Amino acid sequence: MNNAIFRRLTALVLGGVLLCAPLAGCQTKPEPVQTTIFAMDTVMNLTIYGEQETLNQAVERIYLLQNALDPNQEDSITYDLNHAGGERVPVSTGASDLLGPSLELCAVTGGALDLTAYSAVQAWGFSTGEYRVPDQSELDELASRIDYTALELADSTVRLPEGMAVDFGAVAKGYAGDLLASQLTSAGVKHALLDLGQSSIHAIGAKPDGSPWRVGVQDPSGDRYLGVLELADRGMGTSGSYQRYFEADGVRYCHIIDPDTAAPAQSGLASVTVVSPSCLTCDGLSTALFVMGLEEGADFWRAHPELDFEAIFLTEDGSIAITAGLEDSFTLTEGYTDREVTVLS
Ligand code: AMP
Ligand code: MG
């Protein structure tokens, strides 16, 4: 088992303990139904208070979305776009529901989130696991092929200039969280915790006893939870250099690309967690804030109250900063209580 999968499974088990302990004391009906699946390259853990059939339909929806977005699967929107040779390709309503808001996030973050970073993702080997460090001239050339504004979305079609490539890795799980939340809510589910692989979690409602869901925030330098976030009707997204990386000549290269340089982001952050009612916002912004770093990320939070999000910044040197809106919902876990938490305002 590779390291990343092991860490995810460990996190899942820890998460189970963390989440089940409060549930065990709660006798509220109906009982939860739960499943663990492997989808979108990660282990997902779905818990809903509802019917088994409703949960099955949610799982089907995730697999459909996975197939629709997988860059390696022929006929996925991603594959079609990346192999269209600059021609327009049709997009379904579902795909434009993802593309439109994602492009808005690219714009509002000034391109820190950029769906066209995929050429660089591939060049560094993150799409295959065959890692390499491109030289400066290759990086310059790759950076010239990253520009989300070149993606033209109009009249149910989309066009990507030849030589550029997209992927939805930075937003797909968040989008899945929102999609499932609306499907489950329509089916009458009032309480659910959708753990779409650690990096994206969506809490539908609170727990049946009215208390918030409690979700762990991972210590980027270990397998333990550094803190706990209380969530109700909120998504949470985490981007971290520990989630996927390789090391060469003593340097750690992570899977999040700085679109300006086409190289893995080196912003001094080890992870960013974003909390928002929109899971897509959580996912897209956690990636973007990771690229920006603490100072710029904090300024971005101050400048964009309309995006309705809060954030936790964990730096490589071990400091912790949270935005003011999380002061009452974030607590350090045992073993970390001596760490200082800076509250950004
Ligand atoms: P996340 O784990 O949500 O931060 O997303 C990271 C994934 O999105 C990577 O594995 C890449 O496939 C892709 N990606 C990397 N850097 C960027 C970026 N700056 N903007 C958009 N997508 C990116
Ligand atoms: Mg993301």
Side-chain angles (χ1 to χ4, degrees), residues 105-306:
L105 287 174
C106 292
V108 76
T109 60
L113 178 74
D114 193 317
L115 299 183
T116 63
Y118 197 53
S119 304
V121 172
Q122 290 175 302
W124 284 86
F126 287 109
S127 53
T128 56
E130 289 164 23
Y131 300 119
R132 56 185 281 274
V133 180
D135 65 22
Q136 191 56 50
S137 65
E138 186 178 351
L139 290 177
D140 293 343
E141 194 275 326
L142 286 164
S144 74
R145 291 195 275 134
I146 302 177
D147 178 10
Y148 71 91
T149 64
L151 254 175
E152 294 167 21
L153 177 65
D155 302 329
S156 309
T157 63
V158 62
R159 195 184 88 82
L160 179 71
E162 195 163 10
M164 295 177 66
V166 291
D167 88 304
F168 295 94
V171 288
K173 281 179 239 146
Y175 179 64
D178 288 337
L179 208 62
L180 292 192
S182 90
Q183 177 172 325
L184 291 168
T185 312
S186 305
V189 173
K190 293 188 170 53
H191 317 279
L193 191 73
L194 312 175
D195 176 349
L196 305 178
Q198 255 219 305
S199 61
S200 276
I201 293 181
H202 206 342
I204 299 176
K207 287 192 284 186
D209 66 2
S211 65
W213 299 98
R214 290 165 56 76
V215 174
V217 176
Q218 190 169 330
D219 176 353
S221 56
D223 279 332
R224 296 176 57 204
Y225 286 131
L226 166 152
V228 174
L229 256 176
E230 294 187 338
L231 295 179
D233 275 322
R234 287 282 180 283
M236 163 180 147
T238 298
S239 291
S241 50
Y242 63 91
Q243 290 168 337
R244 188 171 299 172
Y245 66 89
F246 71 97
E247 280 171 353
D249 297 329
V251 181
R252 177 186 284 206
Y253 297 104
C254 77
H255 68 303
I256 300 168
I257 299 292
D258 181 339
D260 284 341
T261 62
Q266 306 268 9
S267 63
L269 288 175
S271 80
V272 183
T273 294
V274 173
V275 177
S276 163
S278 155
C279 217
L280 177 65
T281 299
C282 294
D283 199 354
L285 289 189
S286 65
T287 308
L289 295 179
F290 188 91
V291 171
M292 290 180 198
L294 175 56
E295 296 292 315
E296 200 185 320
D299 286 344
F300 181 85
W301 170 74
R302 292 183 190 102
H304 292 283
E306 82 286 359

